[in-house]
Amino acid sequence: MWEGYLKVVGQSCPKLNTLKLNCFRIGFDPPFYVSDDDALAIAETMHGLRFLKLFSNGLTDAGLKAILDNCPDLEHLDLNHCFNVNFSGDLEKRCSERIKVLVRPGSPRIFDFSIFEDSDTLDSDHDL
């Protein structure tokens, strides 16, 4: 869905270490969107990621494997509402060994409004 944009961002920002991608859709009933395109674009171009948040993304275990294979510094992975991820094979073990903070697809925390915050630009001294 966003793979073209993600590739441009990854190629343009080689030192990128944080990515938050909110793929929120109205309604959470099956069938869920299934695609590893975003995950493969991230794996291909964003090797320096340390923090990755993919809210309600369509990635599968194959996409997660590609990210783990190509983002060796990743330590915080938020997969909330990524219901196509099942942690099959050795993915569970790989995540537990490498990822310091893992938010699973079924996390009770549904909405995180921090995606709208930018700590670099928010300044309490500015008049609104």
Side-chain angles (χ1 to χ4, degrees):
M1 175 189 273
W2 297 100
E3 69 274 6
Y5 298 106
L6 291 169
K7 283 183 180 182
V8 169
V9 169
Q11 292 165 350
S12 301
C13 306
K15 294 183 180 185
L16 185 72
N17 62 24
T18 299
L19 178 69
K20 297 179 182 181
L21 182 63
N22 184 350
C23 298
F24 178 74
R25 299 173 313 282
I26 302 298
F28 292 104
D29 296 327
F32 299 111
Y33 173 73
V34 178
S35 174
D36 286 314
D37 292 343
D38 295 346
L40 295 176
I42 290 167
E44 181 182 326
T45 63
M46 301 182 189
H47 305 287
L49 285 181
R50 298 177 72 80
F51 180 100
L52 178 60
K53 179 178 192 152
L54 298 173
F55 181 80
S56 194
N57 193 274
L59 83 155
T60 68
D61 287 349
L64 175 57
K65 181 183 181 312
I67 289 170
L68 292 175
D69 288 346
N70 292 286
C71 301
D73 299 327
L74 192 63
E75 54 189 41
H76 183 117
L77 180 61
D78 188 336
L79 299 172
N80 199 1
H81 274 264
C82 296
F83 293 119
N84 300 319
V85 174
N86 299 305
F87 297 97
S88 61
D90 69 341
L91 286 178
E92 182 83 35
K93 180 181 177 191
R94 288 182 68 190
C95 285
S96 67
E97 291 174 350
R98 277 200 35 213
I99 307 298
K100 293 178 183 175
V101 177
L102 176 65
V103 178
R104 297 177 163 277
S107 172
R109 189 183 71 225
I110 296 175
F111 297 105
D112 181 357
F113 293 102
S114 69
I115 61 170
F116 301 110
E117 296 174 6
D118 182 351
S119 60
D120 293 334
T121 59
L122 291 180
D123 187 341
S124 61
D125 293 335
H126 284 95
D127 293 328
L128 297 178

Coordinates of all heavy atoms in Angstrom, one line a residue, residues 31-99:
P31 N -12.3 -10.1 6.0 CA -10.9 -10.5 5.7 C -10.0 -9.3 5.9 O -10.3 -8.1 5.5 CB -10.9 -10.9 4.3 CG -12.0 -10.1 3.7 CD -13.0 -10.0 4.8
F32 N -8.8 -9.5 6.5 CA -7.8 -8.5 6.7 C -7.0 -8.3 5.4 O -6.8 -9.2 4.7 CB -6.9 -8.8 7.9 CG -7.6 -8.9 9.2 CD1 -7.8 -10.2 9.8 CD2 -8.2 -7.8 9.8 CE1 -8.5 -10.3 11.0 CE2 -8.9 -7.9 11.0 CZ -9.0 -9.2 11.6
Y33 N -6.5 -7.1 5.2 CA -5.7 -6.8 4.1 C -4.4 -7.6 4.3 O -3.8 -7.6 5.4 CB -5.4 -5.3 4.1 CG -4.4 -4.8 3.1 CD1 -4.7 -4.8 1.8 CD2 -3.1 -4.4 3.5 CE1 -3.7 -4.4 0.8 CE2 -2.2 -4.0 2.6 CZ -2.5 -4.0 1.3 OH -1.5 -3.5 0.4
V34 N -3.9 -8.3 3.3 CA -2.7 -9.1 3.4 C -1.7 -8.7 2.3 O -2.0 -8.7 1.1 CB -3.0 -10.6 3.2 CG1 -1.7 -11.4 3.3 CG2 -4.0 -11.1 4.2
S35 N -0.6 -8.2 2.8 CA 0.5 -7.8 1.8 C 1.8 -7.5 2.6 O 1.8 -6.9 3.6 CB 0.1 -6.5 1.1 OG 1.2 -6.1 0.3
D36 N 2.9 -8.1 2.0 CA 4.2 -7.8 2.6 C 4.9 -6.7 1.9 O 6.1 -6.5 2.2 CB 5.0 -9.1 2.6 CG 4.5 -10.1 3.6 OD1 4.3 -9.7 4.8 OD2 4.4 -11.3 3.3
D37 N 4.3 -6.0 1.0 CA 5.0 -5.0 0.2 C 5.6 -3.9 1.1 O 6.7 -3.5 0.8 CB 4.0 -4.3 -0.8 CG 3.6 -5.3 -1.9 OD1 4.2 -6.3 -2.1 OD2 2.6 -5.0 -2.6
D38 N 4.9 -3.4 2.1 CA 5.4 -2.4 3.0 C 6.6 -2.9 3.7 O 7.7 -2.3 3.8 CB 4.4 -1.9 4.0 CG 3.2 -1.1 3.3 OD1 3.3 -0.8 2.1 OD2 2.2 -0.9 4.0
A39 N 6.5 -4.1 4.3 CA 7.6 -4.7 5.1 C 8.8 -5.0 4.2 O 9.9 -4.7 4.6 CB 7.1 -6.1 5.6
L40 N 8.6 -5.4 3.0 CA 9.8 -5.6 2.1 C 10.4 -4.3 1.7 O 11.7 -4.3 1.6 CB 9.3 -6.4 0.8 CG 8.8 -7.8 1.1 CD1 8.3 -8.4 -0.2 CD2 9.8 -8.7 1.7
A41 N 9.7 -3.2 1.5 CA 10.3 -1.9 1.2 C 11.1 -1.4 2.4 O 12.2 -0.9 2.3 CB 9.2 -0.9 0.9
I42 N 10.6 -1.7 3.6 CA 11.3 -1.3 4.9 C 12.6 -2.1 5.0 O 13.6 -1.6 5.2 CB 10.4 -1.5 6.1 CG1 9.3 -0.5 6.1 CG2 11.2 -1.5 7.4 CD1 8.1 -0.8 7.1
A43 N 12.5 -3.4 4.7 CA 13.6 -4.3 4.8 C 14.7 -3.9 3.8 O 15.9 -4.0 4.1 CB 13.2 -5.7 4.7
E44 N 14.2 -3.5 2.6 CA 15.2 -3.2 1.5 C 15.9 -1.9 1.7 O 17.1 -1.8 1.3 CB 14.4 -3.2 0.2 CG 15.2 -2.9 -1.0 CD 14.3 -2.8 -2.3 OE1 13.3 -3.5 -2.3 OE2 14.6 -1.9 -3.1
T45 N 15.3 -0.9 2.4 CA 15.9 0.4 2.4 C 16.1 1.0 3.7 O 16.7 2.1 3.8 CB 14.9 1.4 1.6 OG1 13.7 1.5 2.3 CG2 14.7 1.0 0.2
M46 N 15.7 0.4 4.8 CA 15.8 1.0 6.2 C 16.6 0.2 7.1 O 16.1 -0.2 8.2 CB 14.4 1.3 6.7 CG 13.6 2.3 5.8 SD 12.0 2.6 6.5 CE 11.2 3.5 5.2
H47 N 17.8 -0.1 6.8 CA 18.6 -1.1 7.6 C 19.0 -0.5 8.9 O 19.4 -1.3 9.8 CB 19.9 -1.4 6.8 CG 19.6 -1.9 5.4 ND1 19.1 -3.2 5.2 CD2 19.7 -1.4 4.2 CE1 18.9 -3.4 3.9 NE2 19.2 -2.3 3.3
G48 N 18.9 0.8 9.2 CA 19.4 1.3 10.5 C 18.2 1.5 11.5 O 18.4 2.1 12.5
L49 N 17.0 1.0 11.2 CA 15.9 1.2 12.1 C 16.2 0.5 13.5 O 16.7 -0.6 13.6 CB 14.6 0.6 11.6 CG 13.9 1.3 10.4 CD1 12.7 0.5 10.0 CD2 13.6 2.7 10.8
R50 N 15.8 1.3 14.5 CA 15.9 0.8 15.9 C 14.5 0.7 16.5 O 14.2 -0.1 17.4 CB 16.8 1.7 16.7 CG 18.2 1.8 16.3 CD 19.0 2.8 17.1 NE 19.3 2.3 18.4 CZ 20.3 1.5 18.7 NH1 21.0 1.0 17.7 NH2 20.5 1.1 19.9
F51 N 13.6 1.6 16.0 CA 12.2 1.6 16.5 C 11.3 1.5 15.3 O 11.4 2.4 14.4 CB 12.0 2.9 17.2 CG 10.6 3.1 17.8 CD1 10.4 2.8 19.1 CD2 9.6 3.5 17.0 CE1 9.1 3.0 19.7 CE2 8.3 3.6 17.5 CZ 8.0 3.4 18.8
L52 N 10.4 0.5 15.3 CA 9.5 0.4 14.2 C 8.1 0.1 14.7 O 7.9 -0.8 15.5 CB 9.9 -0.8 13.3 CG 9.0 -1.1 12.1 CD1 8.8 0.1 11.1 CD2 9.5 -2.3 11.3
K53 N 7.2 0.9 14.3 CA 5.8 0.7 14.7 C 4.9 0.6 13.4 O 4.9 1.5 12.6 CB 5.3 1.9 15.5 CG 3.9 1.9 16.0 CD 3.5 3.1 16.8 CE 2.2 2.8 17.5 NZ 2.1 3.6 18.7
L54 N 4.3 -0.5 13.3 CA 3.4 -0.8 12.1 C 2.0 -1.1 12.7 O 1.7 -2.2 13.0 CB 3.9 -2.0 11.3 CG 5.3 -1.8 10.7 CD1 5.7 -3.1 10.1 CD2 5.3 -0.7 9.7
F55 N 1.2 -0.1 12.8 CA -0.2 -0.2 13.3 C -1.1 -0.7 12.2 O -1.3 0.0 11.2 CB -0.7 1.1 13.9 CG -2.1 0.9 14.5 CD1 -2.2 0.4 15.8 CD2 -3.2 1.3 13.8 CE1 -3.5 0.2 16.3 CE2 -4.4 1.2 14.4 CZ -4.6 0.6 15.6
S56 N -1.7 -1.8 12.4 CA -2.8 -2.3 11.5 C -2.2 -2.6 10.1 O -2.9 -2.3 9.1 CB -4.0 -1.4 11.5 OG -5.1 -2.0 10.9
N57 N -1.0 -3.0 10.0 CA -0.4 -3.3 8.7 C -0.7 -4.7 8.2 O -1.0 -5.6 9.0 CB 1.1 -3.1 8.7 CG 1.8 -3.1 7.4 OD1 2.1 -4.1 6.8 ND2 2.0 -1.9 6.9
G58 N -0.7 -4.9 6.9 CA -1.1 -6.2 6.4 C 0.1 -7.2 6.3 O -0.1 -8.3 5.6
L59 N 1.2 -7.0 6.9 CA 2.4 -7.9 6.8 C 2.1 -9.2 7.4 O 1.2 -9.4 8.2 CB 3.6 -7.3 7.4 CG 3.9 -7.4 8.9 CD1 5.4 -7.3 9.1 CD2 3.1 -6.3 9.6
T60 N 2.8 -10.2 6.9 CA 2.7 -11.6 7.3 C 4.0 -12.0 8.0 O 4.9 -11.2 8.1 CB 2.4 -12.6 6.2 OG1 3.5 -12.6 5.3 CG2 1.2 -12.1 5.4
D61 N 4.1 -13.2 8.3 CA 5.4 -13.7 8.9 C 6.6 -13.6 7.9 O 7.7 -13.3 8.3 CB 5.3 -15.2 9.3 CG 4.4 -15.4 10.5 OD1 4.1 -14.4 11.2 OD2 4.1 -16.6 10.8
A62 N 6.3 -13.7 6.6 CA 7.4 -13.5 5.6 C 7.9 -12.1 5.7 O 9.1 -11.8 5.6 CB 6.8 -13.8 4.2
G63 N 7.0 -11.1 5.8 CA 7.4 -9.7 5.9 C 8.2 -9.4 7.2 O 9.2 -8.7 7.2
L64 N 7.7 -10.0 8.3 CA 8.4 -9.8 9.5 C 9.8 -10.4 9.5 O 10.8 -9.9 9.9 CB 7.6 -10.5 10.7 CG 8.3 -10.5 12.1 CD1 8.7 -9.1 12.5 CD2 7.4 -11.2 13.1
K65 N 9.9 -11.6 8.8 CA 11.3 -12.3 8.7 C 12.2 -11.4 7.8 O 13.4 -11.2 8.2 CB 11.1 -13.6 8.0 CG 12.4 -14.3 7.8 CD 12.2 -15.6 7.0 CE 13.5 -16.4 6.9 NZ 14.6 -15.7 6.4
A66 N 11.7 -10.7 6.8 CA 12.5 -9.9 6.0 C 13.0 -8.7 6.8 O 14.2 -8.3 6.7 CB 11.7 -9.4 4.7
I67 N 12.1 -8.1 7.6 CA 12.5 -7.0 8.5 C 13.6 -7.4 9.5 O 14.6 -6.7 9.6 CB 11.3 -6.4 9.2 CG1 10.4 -5.6 8.2 CG2 11.7 -5.5 10.3 CD1 9.1 -5.2 8.7
L68 N 13.4 -8.6 10.1 CA 14.4 -9.0 11.1 C 15.7 -9.4 10.4 O 16.8 -9.1 11.0 CB 13.9 -10.3 11.8 CG 12.7 -10.1 12.7 CD1 12.2 -11.4 13.3 CD2 13.1 -9.1 13.9
D69 N 15.7 -9.9 9.2 CA 16.9 -10.2 8.4 C 17.7 -9.0 8.0 O 18.9 -9.0 7.9 CB 16.6 -11.0 7.2 CG 16.1 -12.4 7.4 OD1 16.3 -12.9 8.6 OD2 15.6 -13.1 6.5
N70 N 17.0 -7.9 7.8 CA 17.7 -6.7 7.2 C 17.8 -5.5 8.1 O 18.4 -4.5 7.6 CB 16.9 -6.3 5.9 CG 17.1 -7.4 4.8 OD1 18.2 -7.5 4.2 ND2 16.1 -8.2 4.6
C71 N 17.2 -5.6 9.2 CA 17.3 -4.4 10.2 C 17.9 -4.9 11.5 O 17.3 -5.2 12.5 CB 15.9 -3.9 10.4 SG 15.0 -3.3 9.0
P72 N 19.3 -5.1 11.4 CA 20.0 -5.7 12.6 C 19.9 -4.9 13.9 O 20.1 -5.5 14.9 CB 21.4 -5.9 12.1 CG 21.5 -4.8 11.0 CD 20.2 -4.7 10.4
D73 N 19.7 -3.6 13.8 CA 19.7 -2.8 15.0 C 18.3 -2.7 15.7 O 18.2 -2.0 16.7 CB 20.3 -1.4 14.7 CG 21.7 -1.5 14.2 OD1 22.4 -2.4 14.6 OD2 22.0 -0.7 13.3
L74 N 17.3 -3.3 15.1 CA 15.9 -3.1 15.6 C 15.8 -3.7 17.0 O 16.2 -4.8 17.3 CB 15.0 -3.9 14.6 CG 13.5 -3.6 14.8 CD1 13.2 -2.2 14.5 CD2 12.7 -4.5 13.9
E75 N 15.3 -2.8 17.9 CA 15.1 -3.2 19.3 C 13.7 -3.0 19.8 O 13.4 -3.5 20.9 CB 16.2 -2.6 20.2 CG 16.3 -1.1 20.1 CD 17.5 -0.5 20.8 OE1 18.6 -1.1 20.7 OE2 17.3 0.5 21.5
H76 N 12.9 -2.2 19.1 CA 11.6 -1.9 19.6 C 10.7 -2.2 18.3 O 10.8 -1.5 17.3 CB 11.4 -0.5 20.0 CG 10.0 -0.2 20.5 ND1 9.8 0.2 21.8 CD2 8.8 -0.2 19.9 CE1 8.5 0.4 22.0 NE2 7.9 0.2 20.9
L77 N 9.8 -3.1 18.5 CA 8.9 -3.5 17.4 C 7.5 -3.5 17.8 O 7.1 -4.3 18.7 CB 9.3 -4.9 16.8 CG 8.5 -5.4 15.6 CD1 8.6 -4.5 14.4 CD2 9.0 -6.8 15.3
D78 N 6.6 -2.7 17.3 CA 5.2 -2.6 17.6 C 4.4 -3.1 16.5 O 4.4 -2.4 15.4 CB 4.9 -1.1 18.0 CG 3.5 -1.0 18.6 OD1 2.6 -1.8 18.3 OD2 3.3 0.0 19.3
L79 N 3.7 -4.2 16.6 CA 2.9 -4.8 15.6 C 1.4 -4.8 16.0 O 0.7 -5.7 15.6 CB 3.4 -6.3 15.3 CG 4.8 -6.4 14.8 CD1 5.2 -7.9 14.8 CD2 5.0 -5.7 13.5
N80 N 1.0 -3.9 16.7 CA -0.4 -3.8 17.2 C -1.3 -3.8 16.0 O -1.1 -3.0 15.1 CB -0.6 -2.6 18.1 CG -1.8 -2.7 18.9 OD1 -2.5 -3.7 18.9 ND2 -2.1 -1.7 19.7
H81 N -2.3 -4.7 16.1 CA -3.3 -4.8 15.0 C -2.8 -5.3 13.7 O -3.4 -5.2 12.7 CB -4.1 -3.6 14.8 CG -5.3 -3.5 15.8 ND1 -6.5 -3.9 15.5 CD2 -5.3 -3.1 17.1 CE1 -7.3 -3.7 16.5 NE2 -6.6 -3.2 17.5
C82 N -1.6 -6.0 13.7 CA -1.1 -6.6 12.5 C -1.4 -8.1 12.6 O -0.6 -9.0 12.9 CB 0.5 -6.4 12.4 SG 1.0 -4.7 12.2
F83 N -2.7 -8.4 12.3 CA -3.3 -9.7 12.6 C -2.9 -10.8 11.7 O -3.2 -12.0 11.9 CB -4.8 -9.6 12.7 CG -5.3 -8.8 13.9 CD1 -6.0 -7.6 13.6 CD2 -4.9 -9.1 15.2 CE1 -6.4 -6.8 14.7 CE2 -5.4 -8.4 16.2 CZ -6.1 -7.2 16.0
N84 N -2.1 -10.5 10.6 CA -1.6 -11.6 9.8 C -0.2 -12.2 10.2 O 0.3 -13.1 9.6 CB -1.4 -11.0 8.3 CG -2.7 -10.5 7.8 OD1 -3.8 -11.1 7.9 ND2 -2.7 -9.4 7.1
V85 N 0.3 -11.6 11.3 CA 1.6 -12.1 11.9 C 1.2 -13.2 12.9 O 0.5 -12.9 13.8 CB 2.4 -11.0 12.5 CG1 3.6 -11.5 13.2 CG2 2.8 -9.9 11.5
N86 N 1.8 -14.4 12.7 CA 1.6 -15.5 13.6 C 2.8 -16.0 14.3 O 2.7 -16.9 15.1 CB 1.0 -16.7 12.8 CG -0.4 -16.3 12.2 OD1 -1.3 -15.8 12.8 ND2 -0.5 -16.4 10.9
F87 N 4.0 -15.4 14.1 CA 5.2 -15.8 14.7 C 5.5 -17.3 14.5 O 5.9 -18.0 15.4 CB 5.2 -15.5 16.2 CG 5.1 -14.0 16.5 CD1 3.9 -13.5 16.8 CD2 6.2 -13.2 16.4 CE1 3.8 -12.1 17.0 CE2 6.2 -11.9 16.7 CZ 4.9 -11.3 17.0
S88 N 5.3 -17.8 13.3 CA 5.6 -19.2 12.9 C 7.1 -19.5 12.8 O 7.9 -18.5 12.7 CB 4.9 -19.6 11.6 OG 5.4 -18.8 10.6
G89 N 7.4 -20.7 12.8 CA 8.8 -21.1 12.7 C 9.7 -20.6 13.9 O 9.3 -20.7 15.0
D90 N 10.8 -20.0 13.5 CA 11.7 -19.5 14.6 C 11.5 -18.0 14.8 O 12.3 -17.4 15.6 CB 13.2 -19.7 14.2 CG 13.6 -18.9 13.0 OD1 12.8 -18.4 12.3 OD2 14.9 -18.8 12.9
L91 N 10.4 -17.4 14.3 CA 10.2 -15.9 14.5 C 10.0 -15.6 16.0 O 10.5 -14.5 16.4 CB 9.0 -15.5 13.7 CG 9.2 -15.3 12.2 CD1 8.0 -14.9 11.5 CD2 10.4 -14.4 11.9
E92 N 9.3 -16.4 16.7 CA 9.1 -16.1 18.1 C 10.4 -16.1 18.8 O 10.7 -15.1 19.6 CB 8.2 -17.2 18.7 CG 7.9 -17.1 20.2 CD 6.7 -16.1 20.4 OE1 5.8 -16.1 19.6 OE2 6.8 -15.4 21.4
K93 N 11.3 -17.0 18.6 CA 12.6 -17.1 19.2 C 13.5 -15.9 18.8 O 14.1 -15.3 19.6 CB 13.3 -18.4 18.9 CG 14.7 -18.6 19.5 CD 15.3 -19.9 19.1 CE 16.7 -19.9 19.7 NZ 17.5 -21.0 19.1
R94 N 13.5 -15.6 17.5 CA 14.3 -14.5 17.0 C 13.9 -13.2 17.6 O 14.7 -12.3 18.0 CB 14.2 -14.4 15.5 CG 14.9 -15.5 14.8 CD 14.8 -15.4 13.3 NE 15.6 -14.2 12.8 CZ 15.5 -13.7 11.6 NH1 14.8 -14.3 10.7 NH2 16.3 -12.7 11.3
C95 N 12.6 -13.0 17.8 CA 12.1 -11.7 18.4 C 12.5 -11.7 19.9 O 12.9 -10.6 20.4 CB 10.6 -11.6 18.2 SG 10.0 -11.2 16.5
S96 N 12.3 -12.8 20.6 CA 12.6 -12.8 22.0 C 14.1 -12.6 22.3 O 14.5 -12.0 23.3 CB 12.1 -14.0 22.7 OG 12.8 -15.2 22.2
E97 N 14.9 -13.0 21.4 CA 16.4 -12.9 21.5 C 16.9 -11.5 21.1 O 17.8 -11.0 21.7 CB 17.1 -13.9 20.7 CG 17.0 -15.3 21.2 CD 17.6 -16.4 20.3 OE1 18.0 -16.0 19.1 OE2 17.7 -17.5 20.7
R98 N 16.2 -10.8 20.2 CA 16.7 -9.6 19.6 C 16.0 -8.3 20.0 O 16.6 -7.3 20.2 CB 16.7 -9.7 18.1 CG 17.9 -10.4 17.5 CD 18.1 -10.0 16.1 NE 17.8 -8.7 15.7 CZ 17.3 -8.3 14.5 NH1 17.1 -9.2 13.6 NH2 17.1 -7.1 14.2
I99 N 14.7 -8.5 20.1 CA 13.8 -7.3 20.3 C 13.6 -7.1 21.8 O 13.1 -7.9 22.5 CB 12.5 -7.5 19.6 CG1 12.7 -7.9 18.1 CG2 11.6 -6.3 19.7 CD1 13.4 -6.8 17.3

